[in-house]
């Protein structure tokens, strides 16, 4: 009776040739499935698969399907036995065995074995999300290919009326492979073979194999209720490499994904890396217990709560509070990006508003974003008090408030008043409490199902005002001035990094390790931009390496440093804002912002107090920073530190540059270019080309930064030490979004995505910066390094890029720069091949230093290549597309060897980048000349400018005072 019911309910799912079963990938002839032949012991012919499939350290491009519940890998000549040869391991028999049993579909026409290769995007996304349930980190990249086999209502080789329905999937994202078994209904186990089925897999090497415990028992049919990922009937195994990684690790290695995120919380936090064998756990983040965590056997998910900024510790306990593991989490205050939402964003953000004014007015933009989308407003309220006399903070609180306004059409309401009373009780608050608000505008999903709803990658827009009691506002300046002393100020000045006397007027988001100051950004305009630095075109900041202080450097239209605050100069910060240090936002606010507002912005005798403020927060000093641009591009051509250029295209991993003091080292991986569009077996002309495909940077005590291109996957993977950096990739439409910061570690290491194909990596105090450009095809990568020339006598370099005085082997033997001897230069490059012990690269499973070394590769030298193609159409094409370039021969070499004229665009991009730096360097050199000839250094800004700016400043201050009344 029960069986009939099951049978019926299964039939109900059957539409003609199209069957849907819970947790199965859709299958049936309507989905393009083939059906297996009916004779018993049927095996398909070799199925040539469209990807190289990794399975336990070997690659396969051919599989077969066996009716008795097996997927076979490779060209197995083994005569398949009628009765199975026993438990795994089995030598030279490579298979995944969802249900190796005596199956016979000959006797029942309604039973079928379906199979197909899956390459359509929707199904791959579905499979990817299944895999993600089991292996969230390994499956960050979507599956590229899968093979799905479905045993549908298959009978055994007996008169038993039972039917079995299960599905097996093998899938890979190009890096990792996974095997999924999903059981819907198992009604029989024994066949005529005698004995019971086996479930598992076997790599054929006697080492890597796995047999599910219930195999070889009648009880095996109960696996429909079991799971290794918390989904009844489903098992997922990671089958790329080592058998010990097939399931989870129970001893150590707790990790979180993401490992850094907004202090406002609200996103999913996954803990993984160890087995979760207990039935329940306690998760704490800096002592705060998380609620609503959900557990599967391989990961635990929680919702990130609101936390304070800084380096926090996640700790995992059993329900008896035994500590199991811990890992760090970096919580940061997200960047302000409400420009697109608010027209008065600049007035509100990071500035002091008086509590007694009782309210904030938000004025909304009318644009595509605010017109076409609805927003929910959430307020994150952090508050604190400070003992001004000794700077100690106390009574810190945090709370999240939904004003209950629902989904708002901001362009329709135009403006909104937020009363402080709706956030905290104004009257009963302690007299000195300061609130740091994060007013967040969150996109409301159009339907409940679209979970990760974004607008060009953004889900939230944020403005961050401070609310200060009037009494604190008016009394703070004298109290603050009391605490300042000339000695302290001098100490502060000494600690703050010197500003570059000039910046490039490309106004990039970072220059020489300095970052754009969001409150005075040369790329922005508007009344509120640079309102505290009238006269400046843009400002940059940099944190000190040795203290909490930071420089603020402001520049005029020509990129020249301003040294007088009346003309818009910057003011040094005793506390650099928004670092990953606990309370850094408040530290900065009290020591550098509130003091400014209180001394310069709110009291009648602002002139004298403001001058005193400026005396203790001077602009700092400037020095001429001369960067040396070097790098590698194309089929790689290197520009050396000494300014010459040569081609080196070995295949392997090499030291690109290392400082003799051991503080900086960059290694690159050069490899054959993989041509995606060429059929696998054909020899394409690309095969002769060499590209920079990966690099890793180690700088002082900062984490290592690794970039790795996977052209077949069309992706670049960025790692910070061994951890994959998760970020929303930039799309072409994202230019409107102001934020491109994808990593910052206490502002000494900053990674930004400048546009869809350009990244920058900058190292604060050292001023070292890298610009990375990816070809849209994800096959070539350009790397420009900017190494400051200061202290060159102290800092010596070697490697492929040589030193400031030219190329030299590690033993000191010099290579003549004028050498035209390609072979000698090739030998020179080869001498910088790294050893496996010295490698800085992080290697995934199956990957190793050895894997990337091709010692047999002999390059085609320029002259030979030119000789080969002279007078051909390819040569003429190369000449034509490269004609306007300075390094024309290099460009032609690349076009000839790849037969791809579009590589000239990389050369153009590279030359433009270098040109901008060369122009900048020229200007700095001129400045240096001028400084030498002028004995007394005159202020950079004339007096006439001073008076104009003073009037401006007065108008602004008056406007502010009026606004406060
Ligand atoms: C597969 O094995 C058969 C039998 O040994 C052989 O004839 C055939 O060439 C092999 N195919 C491939 C692609 O190696
Ligand atoms: C678990 O991970 C640790 C650290 O990565 C490793 O040393 C250990 O061998 C792993 N254990 C198993 C059973 O895989
Ligand atoms: C700072 O001052 C307050 C009040 O005078 C006092 O209670 C507190 O202990 C002091 N903290 C430190 C670190 O000196
Ligand atoms: C600390 O905060 C509480 C709660 O707001 C308040 O009652 C108390 O007065 C505060 N302490 C001081 C010293 O202001």
């Amino acid at each position: 009776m029960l069986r009939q019911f099951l049978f019926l309910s299964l039939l109900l799912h059957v539409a003609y040739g199209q069957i849907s079963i819970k947790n199965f990938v859709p299958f049936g002839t309507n989905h393009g499935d083939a059906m297996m032949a009916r004779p018993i012991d049927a095996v398909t012919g070799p199925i040539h698969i469209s990807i190289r499939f990794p399975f336990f350290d070997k690659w396969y491009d051919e599989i077969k399907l066996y009716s008795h519940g097996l997927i076979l890998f490779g060209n197995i000549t083994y005569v398949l036995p009628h009765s199975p040869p026993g438990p795994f391991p089995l030598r030279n028999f490579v298979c995944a065995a969802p249900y190796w049993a005596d199956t016979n579909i000959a006797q029942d026409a309604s039973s079928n074995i379906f199979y197909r290769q899956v390459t359509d995007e929707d199904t791959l996304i579905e499979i990817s999300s299944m895999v993600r349930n089991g292996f969230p980190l390994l499956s960050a990249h979507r599956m590229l290919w899968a093979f799905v086999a479905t045993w549908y209502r298959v009978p055994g080789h007996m008169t038993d009326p039972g039917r079995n329905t299960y599905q097996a999937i093998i899938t890979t994202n190009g890096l990792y492979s996974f095997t999924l078994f999903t059981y819907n209904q198992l009604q029989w186990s024994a066949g005529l073979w005698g004995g019971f089925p086996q479930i598992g897999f076997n790599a054929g090497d006697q080492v890597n194999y796995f047999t599910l415990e219930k195999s070889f028992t009648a009880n095996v049919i109960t696996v429909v209720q079991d799971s290794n990922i918390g989904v009844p009937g489903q098992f997922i195994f990671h089958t790329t490499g080592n058998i010990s990684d097939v399931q989870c690790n129970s001893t150590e290695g707790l990790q979180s994904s993401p490992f850094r995120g907004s202090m406002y919380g609200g996103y999913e936090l996954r803990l993984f890396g160890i087995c979760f064998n207990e039935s329940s756990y306690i998760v704490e983040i800096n002592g705060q217990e998380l609620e609503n965590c959900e557990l599967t056997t391989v990961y635990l998910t929680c919702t990130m709560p609101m936390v304070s900024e800084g380096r926090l510790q996640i700790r995992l306990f059993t329900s008896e509070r035994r500590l199991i593991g811990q890992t760090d989490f970096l919580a940061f205050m997200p960047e302000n990006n409400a420009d697109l939402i608010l027209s008065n964003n600049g007035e509100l953000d990071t500035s002091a508003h008086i509590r007694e004014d009782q309210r904030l007015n938000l004025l909304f933009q009318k644009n595509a974003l605010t017109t076409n989308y609805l927003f929910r407003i959430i307020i994150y309220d952090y508050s604190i008090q400070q003992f001004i006399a000794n700077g100690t903070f106390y009574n810190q609180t945090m709370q999240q408030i939904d004003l209950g306004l629902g989904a708002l059409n901001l362009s329709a309401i135009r403006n909104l008043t937020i009363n402080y009373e709706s956030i905290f009780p104004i009257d009963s608050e302690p007299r000195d409490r300061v609130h740091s608000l994060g007013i967040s505008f969150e996109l409301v999903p159009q339907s409940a199902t679209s979970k990760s709803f974004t607008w060009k990658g953004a889900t939230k827009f944020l403005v961050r005002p401070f609310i200060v009691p009037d009494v604190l506002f008016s009394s703070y300046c004298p109290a603050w001035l009391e605490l300042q002393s000339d000695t302290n100020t001098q100490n502060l000045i000494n600690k703050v990094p010197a500003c570059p006397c000039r910046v490039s007027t490309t106004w990039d988001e970072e220059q020489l390790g300095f970052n754009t100051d969001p409150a005075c950004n040369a790329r922005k305009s508007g009344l509120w931009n640079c309102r505290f630095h009238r006269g400046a075109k843009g400002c940059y900041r940099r944190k000190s390496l040795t203290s909490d202080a930071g420089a603020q450097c402001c520049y005029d239209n020509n990129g020249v440093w301003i040294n007088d605050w009346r003309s818009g100069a910057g003011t040094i910060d005793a506390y650099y804002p928004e670092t990953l240090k606990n309370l850094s936002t408040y530290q900065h606010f009290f020591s550098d912002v509130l003091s400014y507002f209180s001394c310069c912005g709110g009291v009648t005798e602002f002139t004298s107090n403001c001058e005193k403020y400026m005396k203790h927060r001077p602009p700092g000093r400037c020095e001429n920073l001369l960067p040396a641009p070097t790098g590698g591009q194309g089929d790689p051509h290197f520009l050396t530190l000494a300014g010459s250029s040569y081609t080196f295209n070995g295949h392997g991993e090499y030291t690109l540059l290392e400082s003799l003091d051991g503080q900086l080292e960059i290694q690159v991986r050069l490899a054959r270019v993989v041509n995606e569009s060429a059929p696998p077996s054909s020899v394409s002309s690309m095969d002769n080309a060499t590209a920079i495909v990966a690099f890793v940077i180690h700088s002082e005590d900062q984490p290592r930064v690794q970039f790795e291109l996977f052209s077949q996957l069309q992706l670049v993977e960025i790692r910070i030490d061994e951890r994959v950096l998760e970020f929303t990739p930039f799309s072409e439409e994202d230019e409107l979004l102001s934020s491109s910061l994808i990593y910052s570690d206490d502002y000494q290491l900053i990674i930004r995505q400048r546009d869809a194909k350009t990244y920058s990596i900058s190292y604060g105090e050292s001023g070292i910066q890298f610009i990375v450009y990816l070809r849209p095809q994800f096959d070539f990568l350009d790397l420009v390094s900017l190494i400051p020339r200061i202290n060159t006598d102290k800092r010596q370099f070697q490697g492929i890029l040589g030193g400031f005085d030219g190329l030299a082997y590690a033993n000191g033997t010099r290579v003549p720069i004028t050498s035209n001897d390609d072979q000698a230069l090739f030998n020179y490059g080869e001498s910088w091949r790294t050893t496996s012990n010295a490698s800085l690269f992080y290697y995934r499973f199956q990957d190793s230093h050895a894997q990337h070394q091709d010692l047999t590769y002999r390059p085609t030298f320029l002259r030979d290549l030119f000789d080969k193609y002279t007078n051909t159409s390819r040569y003429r094409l190369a000449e034509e597309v490269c004609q306007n370039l300075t390094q024309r021969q290099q460009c032609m070499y690349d076009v000839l060897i790849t037969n791809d004229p579009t590589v000239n665009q990389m050369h153009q991009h590279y030359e433009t980048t270098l040109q901008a730096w060369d122009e900048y360097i020229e200007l700095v050199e001129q400045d240096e000349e001028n400084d030498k000839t002028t004995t007394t250094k005159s202020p950079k800004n004339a007096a006439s400018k001073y008076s104009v700016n003073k009037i401006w400043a007065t108008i602004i201050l008056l406007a502010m005072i009026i606004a406060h009344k």
Side-chain angles (χ1 to χ4, degrees):
M1 189 60 205
L2 178 66
R3 233 171 233 176
Q4 267 161 6
F5 173 72
L6 283 174
F7 175 69
L8 267 176
S9 71
L10 204 62
L11 269 189
L12 290 178
H13 289 290
V14 182
Y16 204 76
Q18 179 174 334
I19 305 149
S20 99
I21 291 179
K22 195 170 171 223
N23 299 325
F24 274 31
V25 164
F27 64 97
T29 47
N30 275 15
H31 291 281
D33 274 348
M35 292 191 289
M36 263 193 99
R38 295 206 173 267
I40 191 159
D41 300 334
V43 60
T44 63
I47 302 168
H48 294 282
I49 61 181
S50 55
I51 197 164
R52 291 201 314 154
F53 189 82
F55 192 71
F56 293 105
D57 288 336
K58 288 215 173 64
W59 299 97
Y60 296 91
D61 51 16
E62 171 177 332
I63 56 174
K64 287 174 191 158
L65 191 62
Y66 185 40
S67 62
H68 294 307
L70 287 177
I71 296 171
L72 305 167
F73 291 90
N75 188 13
I76 297 177
T77 53
Y78 189 89
V79 180
L80 287 165
H82 185 234
S83 61
F88 301 137
L90 298 174
R91 192 176 290 283
N92 298 331
F93 186 76
V94 190
C95 70
Y99 203 74
W100 191 355
D102 194 4
T103 312
N104 179 9
I105 59 172
Q107 52 171 305
D108 180 354
S110 75
S111 64
N112 262 313
I113 301 169
F114 296 101
Y115 62 95
R116 74 175 185 278
Q117 294 189 57
V118 177
T119 49
D120 74 281
E121 191 150 332
D122 288 350
T123 316
L124 288 172
I125 288 173
E126 191 177 339
I127 295 173
S128 302
S129 75
M130 288 179 179
V131 175
R132 214 158 284 148
N133 284 336
F135 298 92
L137 188 75
L138 303 183
S139 57
H141 308 311
R142 194 167 69 69
M143 299 301 132
L144 289 175
W145 175 91
F147 178 80
V148 177
T150 311
W151 282 261
Y152 178 62
R153 300 197 64 256
V154 297
H157 192 193
M158 257 166 98
T159 48
D160 189 321
R163 297 288 182 266
N164 289 348
T165 298
Y166 56 93
Q167 190 174 63
I169 302 175
I170 59 171
T171 186
T172 178
N173 57 6
L175 301 178
Y176 305 108
S177 77
F178 305 90
T179 299
L180 291 81
F181 299 153
T182 311
Y183 303 93
N184 172 259
Q185 175 188 46
L186 296 177
Q187 295 179 332
W188 61 266
S189 52
L192 279 184
W193 286 346
F196 296 98
Q198 174 164 223
I199 295 176
F201 40 76
N202 184 51
D205 57 4
Q206 307 293 98
V207 176
N208 295 303
Y209 61 91
F210 177 81
T211 302
L212 203 69
E213 215 170 293
K214 285 182 179 168
S215 301
F216 303 110
T217 68
N219 208 20
V220 68
I221 59 172
T222 63
V223 300
V224 289
Q225 283 125 39
D226 299 346
S227 175
N228 66 353
I229 55 150
V231 177
Q234 194 162 63
F235 293 80
I236 304 187
F237 304 98
H238 168 219
T239 47
T240 322
N242 213 314
I243 195 70
S244 62
D245 301 315
V246 162
Q247 293 190 98
C248 46
N249 182 328
S250 55
T251 50
E252 47 189 300
L254 182 70
Q255 288 189 53
S256 76
S257 166
F259 65 89
R260 61 190 299 278
S262 154
M263 63 197 266
Y264 298 144
Y267 43 89
E268 185 180 89
L269 180 76
R270 280 185 184 231
L271 298 179
F272 64 95
I274 63 167
C275 298
F276 294 96
N277 299 325
E278 306 276 326
S279 56
S280 72
Y281 290 92
I282 298 169
V283 183
E284 277 185 8
I285 184 157
N286 263 27
Q288 178 181 355
E289 192 172 322
L290 307 196
E291 287 160 15
N292 305 326
C293 292
E294 278 180 38
L295 180 66
T296 76
T297 43
V298 284
Y299 67 89
L300 214 149
T301 49
C302 310
T303 301
M304 187 70 184
M306 192 174 168
V307 292
S308 52
E309 71 196 315
R311 196 174 287 274
L312 311 178
Q313 194 156 60
I314 296 174
R315 308 215 296 166
L316 181 71
F317 300 91
T318 61
S319 50
E320 298 84 42
R321 295 205 72 84
R322 182 169 56 82
L323 181 67
I324 296 183
Q326 56 189 52
T327 182
D328 274 2
F329 186 86
L330 309 176
F332 59 85
M333 176 181 271
E335 285 188 308
N336 164 314
N337 59 345
D339 265 349
L340 287 168
I341 302 262
L342 291 169
S343 50
N344 62 339
N345 176 52
E347 174 201 13
L348 299 176
D349 197 59
T350 329
S351 56
H353 302 266
I354 309 239
R355 183 169 83 188
E356 283 70 13
D357 287 347
Q358 305 202 1
R359 69 187 83 86
L360 276 181
N361 282 316
L362 310 178
L363 308 176
F364 299 116
Q365 302 262 30
K366 195 174 175 69
N367 57 26
L369 177 60
T370 55
T371 308
N372 300 335
Y373 297 86
L374 298 180
F375 291 86
R376 200 165 63 111
I377 301 183
I378 302 287
I379 297 174
Y380 300 90
D381 172 27
Y382 290 80
S383 82
I384 210 156
Q385 288 163 261
Q386 190 192 40
F387 295 118
I388 292 169
N390 59 20
T392 310
F393 291 108
Y394 66 103
N395 244 355
Q396 193 187 6
T397 70
M398 53 181 111
Q399 59 164 344
Q400 181 181 333
I401 290 157
D402 184 339
L403 296 176
L405 301 170
L408 297 175
N409 178 336
L410 301 180
S411 69
I413 61 172
R414 301 311 305 259
N415 62 57
L416 182 72
T417 301
I418 293 182
N419 291 310
Y420 302 149
E421 194 66 50
S422 60
I423 306 173
F424 51 83
I426 299 181
D427 293 335
S428 58
E429 280 252 301
R431 277 164 53 87
D432 58 342
R433 181 171 291 173
V434 168
H435 290 260
S436 160
L437 302 185
I439 305 176
S440 170
F441 303 87
E442 309 190 351
L443 280 169
V444 176
Q446 311 296 56
S447 72
T449 50
S450 51
K451 224 170 149 189
S452 57
F453 181 67
T454 70
W455 185 81
K456 300 182 178 181
T459 56
K460 295 183 184 184
F461 298 85
L462 187 71
V463 62
R464 308 157 307 174
F466 284 89
I467 315 299
V468 185
D470 198 2
V471 56
L472 182 60
F473 195 91
S474 49
S475 66
Y476 192 71
C477 180
W480 181 84
L481 286 173
E482 198 67 31
L483 294 171
Q484 311 303 311
S485 73
D486 290 348
T487 332
N488 287 349
T489 302
Q490 195 52 51
N491 282 342
L492 185 59
I493 295 171
N494 293 344
K495 280 179 195 155
V496 163
C499 297
C501 292
R502 179 186 275 283
V503 289
S504 162
T505 49
T506 52
W507 303 111
D508 288 339
E509 273 178 308
E510 67 291 299
Q511 295 202 29
L512 307 157
F514 286 77
N515 292 281
T516 301
D517 181 347
C520 184
N521 180 344
R523 291 188 166 185
K524 282 197 208 159
S525 57
L527 179 62
W528 305 105
N529 193 33
C530 300
R531 69 181 156 133
F532 305 125
H533 303 281
R534 288 289 155 193
K537 168 77 176 163
C539 301
Y540 286 87
R541 301 186 115 120
R542 184 203 266 180
K543 188 180 173 295
S544 153
L545 189 59
T546 51
S547 75
D548 292 329
Q552 185 191 39
C553 315
C554 298
Y555 297 87
D556 67 15
N557 285 325
N558 298 319
V560 175
W561 185 63
I562 305 170
N563 68 352
D564 183 340
W565 65 274
R566 293 170 197 85
S567 314
T571 53
I572 57 178
D573 289 328
Y575 289 92
Y576 192 89
E578 295 153 38
T579 59
L580 281 174
K581 218 168 183 161
N582 192 21
L583 300 175
S584 78
T585 308
Y586 291 119
Q587 300 271 25
H588 173 63
F589 181 73
F590 276 91
S591 82
D592 305 306
V593 179
L594 181 58
S595 46
Y596 171 81
F597 277 98
S598 183
C599 295
C600 296
V603 284
T604 39
E605 68 277 31
F606 67 88
T607 321
S608 78
N609 269 352
C610 199
E611 279 195 35
K612 286 182 196 150
Y613 172 88
M614 293 303 169
K615 188 173 138 231
H616 295 294
R617 292 291 181 270
R621 60 212 156 85
C622 89
E623 66 187 19
N624 285 315
L625 292 181
L626 273 175
T630 63
Q633 65 137 351
D635 192 319
H637 312 286
F638 294 97
L639 174 62
T640 70
L641 264 190
S644 61
S645 111
Y646 72 104
T647 299
F648 168 67
N649 44 21
H651 284 174
E653 291 176 358
Y654 301 90
T655 301
L656 183 69
L657 192 68
E658 77 185 318
S659 66
L660 295 188
D661 59 14
Q663 299 285 289
L664 175 73
E665 180 167 4
I666 310 153
Q667 296 180 354
V668 286
R669 180 182 301 155
L670 311 184
R672 196 179 292 278
V673 175
V674 178
N675 188 353
E676 238 224 310
S677 48
S681 53
S682 76
V683 177
S684 95
S685 62
M686 275 279 196
D687 289 350
N688 298 320
T690 307
I692 302 177
V693 294
F695 65 86
V696 53
I697 303 168
H698 160 86
S699 176
E700 298 179 70
D701 51 2
Q702 294 299 316
R704 272 170 303 149
V705 177
Q706 175 169 323
F707 273 59
E708 213 173 344
L709 278 186
F710 296 96
S711 72
Q712 282 180 316
L713 308 185
Q714 296 282 291
L715 75 89
V716 58
E717 191 170 74
I718 303 176
R719 276 178 201 270
I720 306 296
D721 282 337
E722 66 284 351
R723 302 193 283 193
V724 174
L725 185 64
E726 292 169 61
F727 62 99
T728 317
F730 211 89
S731 74
E732 301 290 350
E733 312 153 330
D734 283 354
E735 264 141 48
L736 280 172
L737 293 175
S738 51
S739 170
S740 62
L741 185 73
I742 54 178
Y743 183 85
S744 75
D745 191 342
D746 208 12
Y747 279 81
Q748 290 304 329
L749 164 60
I750 296 174
I751 306 178
R752 281 179 197 278
Q753 185 170 28
R754 287 190 179 175
D755 58 42
K757 293 289 169 276
T758 316
Y759 295 81
S760 80
I761 306 163
S762 74
Y763 289 90
E765 182 91 75
S766 67
I768 296 169
Q769 191 183 325
F770 299 89
I771 300 160
V772 185
Y773 174 77
L774 317 178
R775 200 158 93 110
Q777 291 88 328
F778 290 93
D779 49 2
F780 284 92
L781 173 160
D782 263 4
L783 179 64
V784 173
S785 329
L786 295 157
I787 312 282
R789 251 186 273 216
I790 45 164
N791 305 333
T792 45
D793 45 334
K794 281 188 220 145
R795 231 178 187 192
Q796 293 191 337
F797 294 92
Q798 59 179 13
I800 286 181
L801 300 181
F804 281 106
D805 47 3
L807 305 183
Y809 286 94
N811 66 11
T813 313
R814 311 201 64 80
V815 178
I817 295 174
T818 51
S819 173
N820 275 329
D821 184 346
D822 285 341
Q823 183 64 49
L825 287 167
F826 180 75
N827 294 345
Y828 172 73
E830 274 297 321
S831 77
W832 293 106
R833 194 182 279 273
T834 58
T835 62
S836 127
N837 283 342
S839 174
L840 298 173
F841 280 98
Y842 170 84
Y843 301 100
R844 276 165 289 102
F845 290 123
Q846 281 201 314
D847 199 18
S848 66
H849 179 264
Q851 187 105 5
H852 299 285
Q853 313 306 316
D854 179 358
L855 296 161
T856 60
Y857 176 76
R858 287 288 161 268
T860 315
F861 292 126
L862 187 117
R863 228 157 308 148
D864 301 332
L865 190 70
F866 278 34
D867 287 349
K868 181 174 167 193
Y869 287 107
T870 337
N871 294 326
T872 63
S873 58
R874 198 192 275 200
Y875 193 89
R876 282 188 295 276
L877 181 64
E879 259 185 323
E880 189 189 322
V881 297
C882 298
Q883 63 186 343
N884 293 326
L885 293 168
T886 318
Q887 299 288 351
R888 188 170 172 209
Q889 286 209 325
Q890 298 186 347
C891 171
M892 284 181 66
Y893 179 94
D894 291 1
V895 173
L896 289 177
I897 203 152
T898 58
N899 196 21
D900 177 357
T902 65
V903 294
N904 75 330
Q905 287 155 11
M906 284 202 85
H907 288 262
Q908 248 145 22
H909 185 272
Y910 185 79
E911 288 197 359
T912 312
T913 306
L914 287 181
Q915 217 164 3
W917 282 105
D918 285 344
E919 279 162 19
Y920 167 75
I921 290 163
E922 216 166 285
L923 287 171
V924 175
E925 280 168 350
Q926 266 169 29
D927 291 346
E928 275 187 332
E929 278 306 307
N930 294 346
D931 289 351
K932 269 181 217 147
T933 51
T934 329
T935 38
T936 49
K937 220 172 151 183
S938 61
K940 287 210 155 79
N941 297 281
S944 59
K945 216 171 174 181
Y946 162 82
S947 53
V948 172
N949 282 304
K950 192 170 180 186
I951 292 165
W952 247 113
T954 312
I955 292 168
I956 295 289
L957 290 177
L958 283 174
M960 285 174 56
I961 292 162
I962 292 161
H964 285 306
K965 291 296 139 195

